[in-house]
Amino acid sequence: MKKLARIWERIMGITMNINPAFNIFSLVVLSSIRGKRLKNADWDKVNLFFWAGLFISGIISIIGAYSVSKAIPSFFIPFVFIWFYIMGKYFIDNPVVFIKDMVKGTTILAFITILAHYFSWKVVYKGVELINGNGRAYILGIGDNGLGVIIQAGIIGALGFLIIEKTKKKKGLYLLFLILNLIALIISSSRGAMVGTAAGGFILAVFMSWKVIGVLTSLVAVALFTNNSFYRRALSIFSLQDRSNYMRLKVYEGALLMVKDNFFFGVGPGNFHTAYPNYKVPGEKIDAMTPHNNYLNIITGWGIIGGLFFFGWIFYRIFKNAWKVQSKYKKVIIAVLIGFWVHVIFNDLATVYSGVLLGLLDNENLQKEEVVVKQKES
């Protein structure tokens, strides 16, 4: 079983960002094999405090929800995220290898995206579209902004390892990974991913080397001047003339009104679409399914109390690890996570990597493995 667990850990690292279906298998297999570790786990009291608060506030939100039937299944979503955190903290034995595998797997997705786009692939199996390379691309169940939020992790991760690695061969490999992921990001045309990547790159520059800015800026400059659609898309990021940006602002306005009227416990998890018609900006015909913002998505549903417990816990874990951080691998993880949490200001998206990497920050094997890697290099 130990050998199977080691193999599946590698599989999870590589496939985590390729397709959501793989993560279901990884969750079941690794949880069943290594779940016994939790019996003797050293549970962080701060974590337990936040989780208990989230649970209690969530129950109260369900009781007062617009639709209890919609609230109950949505209630479990943050706890699935917490379980992936637990997997990252307790179930991953080789964190450095896992992070590298994640970058490799993301690059595989990027390469498939590039091939699908330039050869206009369209793959349909029994009526289900698997790949469509046209437009912003739809690859293995992931499209546009969803594709962008995955690919940005590959860009930031590859950029971090480009700095960390010592040999020309490995640096060249991660430069290739960086370029492939950047091309895939351009294809996705995700503006949220562009901003998220910039944020993650800035964190790497602060933590590791200001050369990051030069590398990233040079590659982006080439892309801007050789790809007109990417150039126009990038320029429209903060344009109020853009219909998509205008729509988001109007939805945010309605969402804030919703928060104002349901301040403490929200309208109920998963009830945004049900409650939104009551808070639409007058004259707007937008039928918003979600608020297009992860923070507003939680706060409108769970209220400010649930939002403080959930996001307070996440950023407590990130900033606790960022304070006087020495581990170069932790720096890469933090940059990827900051990139994600900046991106979701503009889109409400969920990724497995954001939970697992948060757990890796607290994984006691990370520091040990980094020492081993240093010894091998020397």
Side-chain angles (χ1 to χ4, degrees):
M1 294 294 281
K2 288 183 179 180
K3 185 176 181 180
L4 176 61
R6 285 197 299 271
I7 292 171
W8 207 269
E9 182 178 315
R10 295 295 306 274
I11 291 172
M12 181 179 180
I14 292 171
T15 62
M16 183 168 64
N17 284 351
I18 294 179
N19 182 272
F22 289 120
N23 293 311
I24 297 174
F25 290 112
S26 298
L27 186 152
V28 172
V29 174
L30 274 184
S31 296
S32 61
I33 296 174
R34 291 179 171 168
K36 295 178 181 178
R37 295 180 177 183
L38 299 181
K39 292 181 181 179
N40 300 314
D42 182 18
W43 293 98
D44 189 307
K45 291 181 180 179
V46 175
N47 283 349
L48 295 177
F49 167 76
F50 278 110
W51 298 345
L54 181 65
F55 181 85
I56 294 168
S57 67
I59 295 296
I60 297 172
S61 295
I62 290 174
I63 294 171
Y66 273 58
S67 169
V68 174
S69 62
K70 291 180 180 179
I72 291 174
S74 297
F75 166 82
F76 294 100
I77 293 174
F79 294 98
V80 173
F81 177 89
I82 289 170
W83 186 257
F84 280 115
Y85 163 85
I86 289 171
M87 290 181 69
K89 181 174 180 178
Y90 296 108
F91 297 171
I92 304 300
D93 288 345
N94 300 287
V96 174
V97 174
F98 187 90
I99 304 165
K100 291 181 177 180
D101 283 344
M102 183 200 75
V103 175
K104 292 172 185 175
T106 309
T107 305
I108 292 172
L109 178 66
F111 189 56
I112 295 172
T113 302
I114 294 166
L115 292 177
H117 182 74
Y118 286 100
F119 291 103
S120 298
W121 286 353
K122 190 169 185 179
V123 180
V124 179
Y125 179 72
K126 293 185 177 181
V128 178
E129 187 175 64
L130 300 178
I131 295 177
N132 188 339
N134 296 314
R136 295 174 65 183
Y138 180 84
I139 311 297
L140 301 174
I142 309 171
D144 48 73
N145 290 316
L147 184 61
V149 79
I150 295 292
I151 294 299
Q152 73 176 59
I155 295 174
I156 299 168
L159 195 54
F161 283 113
L162 180 61
I163 299 168
I164 291 172
E165 295 296 348
K166 303 297 182 183
T167 67
K168 290 183 179 180
K169 182 179 178 180
K170 289 183 177 180
K171 282 184 176 292
L173 182 64
Y174 281 105
L175 179 59
L176 176 62
F177 290 171
L178 174 61
I179 292 171
L180 290 174
N181 279 288
L182 186 57
I183 294 172
L185 176 61
I186 293 169
I187 293 169
S188 78
S189 296
S190 172
R191 294 175 296 186
M194 295 175 199
V195 177
T197 299
F202 178 75
I203 296 299
L204 284 178
V206 172
F207 276 168
M208 301 180 78
S209 171
W210 287 100
K211 292 179 181 178
V212 167
I213 300 297
V215 173
L216 199 56
T217 302
S218 299
L219 292 174
V220 169
V222 171
L224 287 171
F225 288 105
T226 58
N227 189 303
N228 287 331
S229 61
F230 177 60
Y231 177 76
R232 291 194 300 271
R233 189 74 175 162
L235 283 182
S236 71
I237 288 175
F238 300 108
S239 172
L240 295 180
Q241 303 303 314
D242 181 86
R243 173 62 185 170
S244 179
N245 292 346
Y246 173 82
M247 178 204 74
R248 278 175 168 77
L249 289 175
K250 292 301 178 183
V251 172
Y252 294 165
E253 190 174 342
L256 290 173
L257 290 173
M258 194 184 299
V259 172
K260 181 182 177 182
D261 281 0
N262 305 271
F263 189 74
F264 292 107
F265 297 104
V267 297
N271 273 258
F272 178 84
H273 183 243
T274 304
Y276 184 69
N278 298 324
Y279 295 97
K280 260 185 196 179
V281 175
E284 276 302 319
K285 297 180 180 180
I286 301 168
D287 182 27
M289 297 295 293
T290 68
H292 296 281
N293 177 300
N294 268 20
Y295 303 97
L296 286 175
N297 198 17
I298 291 292
I299 293 170
T300 55
W302 296 65
I304 196 70
I305 293 177
L308 286 173
F309 276 119
F310 186 59
F311 295 117
W313 167 64
I314 289 170
F315 287 106
Y316 168 77
R317 298 259 54 105
I318 292 175
F319 291 124
K320 184 176 184 294
N321 280 282
W323 182 253
K324 296 182 179 179
V325 61
Q326 297 297 319
S327 167
K328 53 191 176 184
Y329 297 107
K330 276 193 176 185
K331 292 174 182 179
V332 175
I333 293 173
I334 290 167
V336 173
L337 289 174
I338 292 297
F340 173 81
W341 289 109
V342 167
H343 182 151
V344 297
I345 293 172
F346 311 101
N347 296 294
D348 36 12
L349 299 163
T351 64
V352 170
Y353 79 73
S354 59
V356 175
L357 294 187
L358 187 67
L360 288 185
L361 286 178
D362 294 327
N363 189 315
E364 63 181 15
N365 293 319
L366 183 59
Q367 206 72 37
K368 295 176 184 176
E369 192 177 9
E370 185 166 10
V371 173
V372 172
V373 171
K374 286 180 179 178
Q375 289 174 345
K376 288 181 179 179
E377 289 176 350
S378 59

